[in-house]
Amino acid sequence: MAQTFPRSANQISKVSLILALAGAGAAGALLFLVDRSPLHTKQGTFVNQEVPFSHDHHTAGLGIDCRYCHTAVEESSSAGIPPTATCMNCHKIIWANTEMLQPVRDSWATGQPLRWNRVNDLPDYVYFNHSVHVSKGIGCESCHGPVNEMPLVYQAHSLQMRWCLECHRAPEKFVRPREEVFNFDWKPSDVGMSQKELGAQLVEEYEIASLDQCSVCHR
């Protein structure tokens, strides 16, 4: 009886199997890279706003403290978005007629809040409490990056779970004195210590645990 397949079919099947496995591996590697890339995480992406608010100008330039606008950050899970009245405290007088601030004046006149687009947007299944992190000595910069240098705000980090766990598993690498949480210029050398030395001291003083249980953030 004649053979159904030529002898070369053995080699062809082996090569096909190798190519299929290689293709599957390449596809997996591509998905792995895309999952961690800014295309997916939106890290480094500027978010357009109705009013182009410059943190660089207001904080670094004018020295306005974060808490002037984000009034709830020390007491609430949310940092809070300032009402139009907060903007108008200054802009009734300063740049009161500039075209760029027309949406602010319209909001003030109509009572309709400004619509700010969220920059650091966690999934709905993730629970994050600003007040807890502030009280434990985690600086704004640790999560939001150098906001004081941003003319337009962008997402500084990936916000993926692996990034959160870097701090949750080793908080001593990030913790700072509570009174320096809002100070973007602070560094451990200001108190004559390394981050390792200071972190170990503050973790004990503030009773910070290395929390990586699922229920801490997923409730």
Side-chain angles (χ1 to χ4, degrees):
M1 181 177 176
Q3 290 183 337
T4 303
F5 299 100
R7 290 184 178 181
S8 60
N10 291 330
Q11 288 298 109
I12 293 173
S13 64
K14 291 178 182 178
V15 172
S16 298
L17 182 59
I18 292 172
L19 290 176
L21 291 174
L30 180 62
L31 289 174
F32 180 87
L33 293 173
V34 169
D35 179 60
R36 287 157 176 75
S37 75
L39 289 173
H40 176 65
T41 66
K42 301 187 185 304
Q43 182 177 0
T45 301
F46 291 96
V47 177
N48 290 325
Q49 303 289 356
E50 189 174 2
V51 179
F53 181 89
S54 171
H55 279 74
D56 173 47
H57 172 67
H58 288 82
T59 58
L62 299 177
I64 297 176
D65 188 276
C66 303
R67 290 162 289 187
Y68 182 77
C69 294
H70 301 290
T71 56
V73 69
E74 295 178 288
E75 303 169 354
S76 172
S77 60
S78 172
I81 295 176
T84 304
T86 300
C87 306
M88 291 300 290
N89 284 339
C90 294
H91 289 297
K92 285 186 292 187
I93 302 170
I94 302 170
W95 302 105
N97 298 310
T98 183
E99 182 179 351
M100 181 175 63
L101 296 179
Q102 186 60 48
V104 179
R105 294 192 295 272
D106 291 343
S107 172
W108 178 250
T110 62
Q112 294 296 316
L114 289 165
R115 297 184 62 182
W116 298 101
N117 296 314
R118 188 177 291 276
V119 177
N120 297 282
D121 191 12
L122 293 174
D124 291 341
Y125 53 80
V126 178
Y127 176 76
F128 180 88
N129 189 309
H130 277 83
S131 64
V132 171
H133 289 78
V134 169
S135 69
K136 294 297 184 180
I138 301 301
C140 303
E141 189 173 10
S142 293
C143 296
H144 294 288
V147 179
N148 62 317
E149 299 175 359
M150 296 182 186
L152 294 176
V153 178
Y154 59 87
Q155 181 183 307
H157 300 287
S158 71
L159 304 186
Q160 292 186 313
M161 186 172 72
R162 63 180 63 87
W163 172 77
C164 298
L165 286 173
E166 289 178 15
C167 184
H168 275 238
R169 287 173 173 166
E172 66 277 2
K173 294 181 180 180
F174 303 92
V175 65
R176 61 174 67 187
R178 289 184 178 123
E179 61 271 17
E180 305 294 350
V181 164
F182 303 99
N183 182 2
F184 285 87
D185 296 322
W186 179 86
K187 50 190 179 296
S189 59
D190 291 346
V191 293
M193 301 175 71
S194 68
Q195 179 62 47
K196 183 178 180 180
E197 295 170 324
L198 179 63
Q201 177 182 309
L202 292 178
V203 163
E204 182 177 356
E205 181 181 342
Y206 296 164
E207 299 180 345
I208 302 174
S210 297
L211 301 174
D212 59 2
Q213 298 89 349
C214 300
S215 59
V216 172
C217 300
H218 303 294
R219 302 181 180 182

